[in-house]
């Protein structure tokens, strides 16, 4: 059976998945561009096996998702809620033809809304940071923090990704400090690769108030464990219910994303610090997270061990969190692992065990 990828042609994600498919001896996957989907192209037909990839990194697709007349300026944080609504509509179009999807639109819709995702995980008993009720701006945020007795929180755009717009906010008796990727200008907010520290409270308030109309999710800031002089967390890729690949992210500040100039840490060192039981418990948590999204072949989980290494919590779950270049498990990269889960039948068996409708199994010649 031939695979189809809904993605942006030329994007590295599409290219890496295509190489994994070809290496497995399968036909080259067809690519259905996101731009065509959003322009009304016919969806993949029933019987097609479809991977939905990220619509990101394409200014024209972003404009179409937001239904805007002009493209956003480079890095501009604009129309996040509108882009999410466009994504949900686009996903519905992809699934309208009855194809077998490797990541169910309903799952992606939850994973791309931090508020909904947090609620699903919390209801399932997954350890997550406590969250505040919805806040509509900085004044409400400070009131809610005071009511909860919290001095430190993470303020996250409900529909952001890659730390875009995320703010680590600390409130003290004499000063307020925010660590964020946001570059604040008089006319707009921009996502930056340089982490900034703001200490002027009116400016911090202005940033939060500008982000608030698109929706905010606010979580308690839990102290992460550290290795050496850096705090660490782990991106864990779960494929067909099994944790496979892991990348340690080490930073000297609260934002650990690697694209912000942070370093990959030593996984063996982290596992030793967590201990055998601690690591095993964390991987069981990752399996429970994946079971919350049985229509998704993979999920990328941002897992943090808390200071002292005795507890862990899930900070984020990513619908498109499988871009882990150079990371191998059993000789396979993140995309080859997903293809292997299909060709070996592991994806079908995992879904059947969860009581989910099984996707059609892909069989290689001679398998």
């Amino acid at each position: 059976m031939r695979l189809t990828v809904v993605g942006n042609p030329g994007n590295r994600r599409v290219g890496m998945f295509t190489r994994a498919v070809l290496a497995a001896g399968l036909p080259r996957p067809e690519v259905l561009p996101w731009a065509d989907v959003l322009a009304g192209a016919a969806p993949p037909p029933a019987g097609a096996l479809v991977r939905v990839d990220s619509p990101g990194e394409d200014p024209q697709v972003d404009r179409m998702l937001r239904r805007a007349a002009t493209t956003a300026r480079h890095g501009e944080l604009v129309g996040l809620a509108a882009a999410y609504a466009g994504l949900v509509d686009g996903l519905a179009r992809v699934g309208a033809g009855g194809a077998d999807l490797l990541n169910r639109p309903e799952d992606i819709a939850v994973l791309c809304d931090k508020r909904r995702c947090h609620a699903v995980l919390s209801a399932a008993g997954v350890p997550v940071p406590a969250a505040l009720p919805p806040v509509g701006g900085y004044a409400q945020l400070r009131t809610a923090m005071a009511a909860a007795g919290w001095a430190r929180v993470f303020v996250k755009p409900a529909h952001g990704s890659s730390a875009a717009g995320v703010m680590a906010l600390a409130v003290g008796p004499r000063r307020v400090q925010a660590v964020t990727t946001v570059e604040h200008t008089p006319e707009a907010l921009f996502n930056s690769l340089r982490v900034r520290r703001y200490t002027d409270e009116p400016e911090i308030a202005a940033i939060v108030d500008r982000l608030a109309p698109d929706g905010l999710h606010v979580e308690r800031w839990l102290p992460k464990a550290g290795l050496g002089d850096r705090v660490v967390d782990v991106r864990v890729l779960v494929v067909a219910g099994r944790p496979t690949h892991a990348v340690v992210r080490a930073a000297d500040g609260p934002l650990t994303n690697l694209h912000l100039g942070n370093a990959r840490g030593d996984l063996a060192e982290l596992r030793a610090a967590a201990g055998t039981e601690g690591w095993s418990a964390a991987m069981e948590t990752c399996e429970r997270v994946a079971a919350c999204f049985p229509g998704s072949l993979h999920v990328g989980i941002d897992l943090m061990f808390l200071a002292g290494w005795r507890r862990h919590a899930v900070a984020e779950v990513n619908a498109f969190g499988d871009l882990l270049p150079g990371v191998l498990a059993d000789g396979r990269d993140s995309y080859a692992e997903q293809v292997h889960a299909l060709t070996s039948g592991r994806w079908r068996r995992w879904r059947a065990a969860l009581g989910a409708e099984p996707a059609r199994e892909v069989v290689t010649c001679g398998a």
Side-chain angles (χ1 to χ4, degrees), residues 3-49:
L3 284 151
T4 297
V5 180
V6 177
N8 295 329
N11 185 276
R12 55 183 175 164
R13 296 172 179 271
V14 174
M16 293 174 73
F17 183 74
T18 296
R19 288 193 290 274
V21 171
L22 295 176
L26 298 172
R28 178 178 293 274
E30 298 179 7
V31 177
L32 175 57
W34 263 111
D36 290 358
V37 171
L38 299 174
L49 192 62

Side-chain angles (χ1 to χ4, degrees), residues 77-139:
L77 291 166
V78 61
L80 299 180
Y84 173 76
L87 173 64
V88 172
D89 287 347
L91 292 169
R93 295 178 189 177
V94 171
D100 293 329
L101 304 184
L102 298 180
N103 33 5
R104 190 173 61 179
E106 298 92 321
D107 284 359
I108 297 175
V110 172
L111 290 166
C112 291
D113 185 326
K114 290 180 173 58
R115 301 162 301 189
R116 295 178 63 189
C117 185
H118 184 277
V120 167
L121 298 178
S122 182
V126 173
V128 290
L132 292 179
V135 297
Y138 186 74

